Amino acid sequence: TDFSELSICDAIIICVPTPLDEFLKPDMSYIVSACEMIGKYLSKNSFICLESTTYPTTTENLIVPLIEEKSGLISGKDFWVAYSPERVDPGNEIYNTKNTPKVIGAIDDMGIRIAENLYKKAIDEIHTVSSPRSAEMVKILENTYRLINISLINELALLSGKMGIDIWEVIEAAKTKPFGFQAFYPGPGIGGHCIPLDPFYLEFIAKKYDFDLSLIHTAGHINMRMPHYMYIKIATALNSISKSVRESKILIIGVSYKPDINDTRESTSLKIIKTLTHKGAIINYHDPYVDSITINKDEKLYSSTLSKKILSQSDLVVICTNHKVIDYKIIDKEAKLIVDLRNASKRKNNIFKL
C-alpha cells in the first residue's frame, strides 16, 4: 500500500482488475491509477510488466505514454516494458503457475531479455512473441476460443432440450471421433474473471479499427442470456408440479462460477438467484466452498447444510455448480424435483436437465 516502495524495485508487475463498466466497455481506471503511481516513483533501469487481461495495444498506447509522462523517463532507454498474460485455471490439479508456459511480448529486445530472466526464476517454460500487442491478443484468443465453443454447446443444449435429445449423450458419442473434435460441455453460463469479459475488450478495440466481430459478439450475448434461459427452465419445472416461482422453496446447489473453488466472480448461480428472489422465490443454497453470498446489495444468504430435512422441505433443487464433494446420492434420494444444469444427477424421474 506504500507506493514509495516502488523506487527501490528493479521489477514491477501489474496485476490489477480490468472489469467492464455498466456499458460493457473496459474499465481501465485500475491500470491508469497503478501506472500513475508507478510513474511517480519509478527509478531508472526498472522493468515493468502488465499481466492484467486487456485489449491489444494497451501496453504500447496507454501504459508507456502514461508512465513516460508521469516519470519524465523514456521507455527503451530508462525503463523497459512488457506484457505477459496471466494463465490460471483455479482448481486444476495438474497445471499450476510453475508448469504452465509463460507468454511474453516486449517493446524491444532488451525488454524481452529482462522478462525472460525474471520469469524463468519461477516458471519452467517461456514463450516469447514479437510485441506486447501479440501477447495481449494471445490472452484474448485463448478465452474467446472457449467462450465461442461453450456458447455453441449451450445453444445446442437448449435446442436439444426442445427436441427431446440428450445433449450429454450426443457429446459422449462425438468424443469417440479421434480427430477434429474437442468436447465442450453445457452449463448455466460462463463465469469467472476472464472468459465472460474478454470478447468485450476485443470488441471495444475492433471498433477503433472499423471491424465488426459478429461471431464473437453473438457468442458473448448467448452467454449473457443463459441465466434467463435457466430461469425459464426452473419455472417450467415448477409448473410441472402446479407451482409458480413465487413462494416456492428452491435450494441452489453450488454458487461458485466453476467446480471445486470458492470464486464467485461473474457466477451464473448468483444471477439465477437474483432473478428468482426478484420473482418471489424463497432461496436457500448449499456450497461447501462459499460460506455466504450477498444478493440485492445488502441481503446476505448463508450456506445451508445439505441434509434430508432441507431437501425434503424444498419444492425444487437446482444443481448449478457440480462440486465433487457434494453428496449427489442424497439429493437424488430426497429431492422432490431436480433441475440439473451440470449432468451431476443420476436420477431418471422428476428431473429436468439442461
Side-chain angles (χ1 to χ4, degrees):
T1 56
D2 182 2
F3 280 91
S4 66
E5 295 287 334
L6 292 175
S7 63
I8 63 170
C9 292
D10 297 309
I12 300 165
I13 299 175
I14 304 170
C15 304
V16 297
T18 47
L20 299 174
D21 64 19
E22 60 181 316
F23 303 108
L24 299 179
K25 297 292 187 293
D27 177 1
M28 307 304 288
S29 60
Y30 296 95
I31 287 181
V32 169
S33 177
C35 289
E36 286 176 343
M37 297 306 292
I38 289 169
K40 183 177 179 180
Y41 293 106
L42 187 67
S43 297
K44 277 191 174 185
N45 301 318
S46 297
F47 170 75
I48 302 160
C49 189
L50 175 65
E51 290 203 2
S52 304
T53 302
T54 186
Y55 56 84
T57 71
T58 297
T59 303
E60 296 158 272
N61 294 350
L62 176 65
I63 288 181
V64 170
L66 185 55
I67 293 176
E68 286 184 331
E69 177 189 347
K70 295 296 179 181
S71 67
L73 302 176
I74 299 172
S75 172
K77 177 184 176 184
D78 301 315
F79 67 95
W80 291 268
V81 179
Y83 181 81
S84 182
E86 177 194 51
R87 279 176 161 175
V88 178
D89 185 16
N92 193 317
E93 297 177 357
I94 298 173
Y95 291 104
N96 51 47
T97 301
K98 187 175 188 299
N99 66 4
T100 300
K102 189 73 167 158
V103 171
I104 303 169
I107 292 175
D108 52 36
D109 291 341
M110 180 61 77
I112 280 288
R113 287 172 58 193
I114 297 169
E116 283 187 292
N117 278 285
L118 172 66
Y119 280 109
K120 73 181 182 182
K121 301 289 186 184
I123 296 170
D124 295 339
E125 182 181 343
I126 308 296
H127 183 93
T128 62
V129 293
S130 59
S131 65
R133 64 180 63 192
S134 292
E136 289 160 342
M137 186 64 90
V138 168
K139 176 69 169 181
I140 298 293
L141 171 61
E142 291 170 355
N143 287 336
T144 303
Y145 167 79
R146 294 186 64 198
L147 171 84
I148 288 173
N149 282 283
I150 296 171
S151 294
L152 168 65
I153 204 67
N154 278 341
E155 197 163 49
L156 290 177
L158 295 172
L159 174 62
S160 295
K162 287 181 173 291
M163 297 177 69
I165 298 170
D166 184 344
I167 190 64
W168 305 94
E169 179 186 26
V170 172
I171 295 169
E172 289 304 305
K175 279 169 58 179
T176 63
K177 185 179 180 181
F179 52 87
F181 180 82
Q182 180 180 352
F184 287 83
Y185 296 93
I190 308 168
H193 59 295
C194 284
I195 299 177
L197 311 183
D198 286 7
F200 296 102
Y201 300 138
L202 194 56
E203 194 170 40
F204 169 78
I205 195 64
K207 287 178 180 177
K208 294 191 174 185
Y209 288 83
D210 194 27
F211 194 86
D212 182 24
L213 294 167
S214 54
L215 177 63
I216 295 172
H217 176 87
T218 300
H221 283 271
I222 290 171
N223 183 56
M224 288 176 64
R225 292 195 297 267
M226 285 305 293
H228 173 68
Y229 294 137
M230 298 307 97
Y231 167 74
I232 293 173
K233 187 168 288 288
I234 289 166
T236 301
L238 287 167
N239 285 341
S240 73
I241 55 171
S242 302
K243 280 188 168 289
S244 65
V245 171
R246 181 171 296 278
E247 297 186 358
S248 287
K249 296 177 181 177
I250 300 175
L251 175 64
I252 303 292
I253 304 296
V255 295
S256 58
Y257 81 82
K258 64 180 287 189
D260 309 321
I261 64 170
N262 63 0
D263 195 338
T264 59
R265 284 177 293 178
E266 301 295 323
S267 170
T268 308
S269 301
L270 301 186
K271 296 171 186 175
I272 293 170
I273 289 171
K274 287 178 182 178
T275 301
L276 290 171
T277 54
H278 178 71
K279 298 293 185 180
I282 302 165
I283 300 294
N284 287 300
Y285 85 90
H286 169 72
D287 193 312
Y289 295 95
V290 183
D291 293 334
S292 65
I293 57 174
T294 301
I295 57 172
N296 303 325
K297 294 184 180 179
D298 56 358
E299 183 182 351
K300 257 194 171 184
L301 293 178
Y302 295 89
S303 181
S304 302
T305 302
L306 187 62
S307 63
K308 179 178 179 180
K309 181 179 180 181
I310 195 168
L311 288 166
S312 62
Q313 289 176 346
S314 300
D315 297 307
L316 173 66
V317 175
V318 182
I319 302 173
C320 285
T321 309
N322 51 328
H323 297 304
K324 292 177 185 175
V325 296
I326 289 173
D327 185 354
Y328 296 102
K329 289 182 179 179
I330 191 174
I331 295 173
D332 286 351
K333 182 179 179 182
E334 304 296 341
K336 298 174 185 174
L337 181 66
I338 297 172
V339 169
D340 182 5
L341 306 179
R342 296 287 188 173
N343 199 36
S345 172
K346 302 299 182 186
R347 200 158 81 173
K348 301 299 182 184
N349 60 335
N350 294 328
I351 185 167
F352 287 72
K353 286 198 171 189
L354 175 59

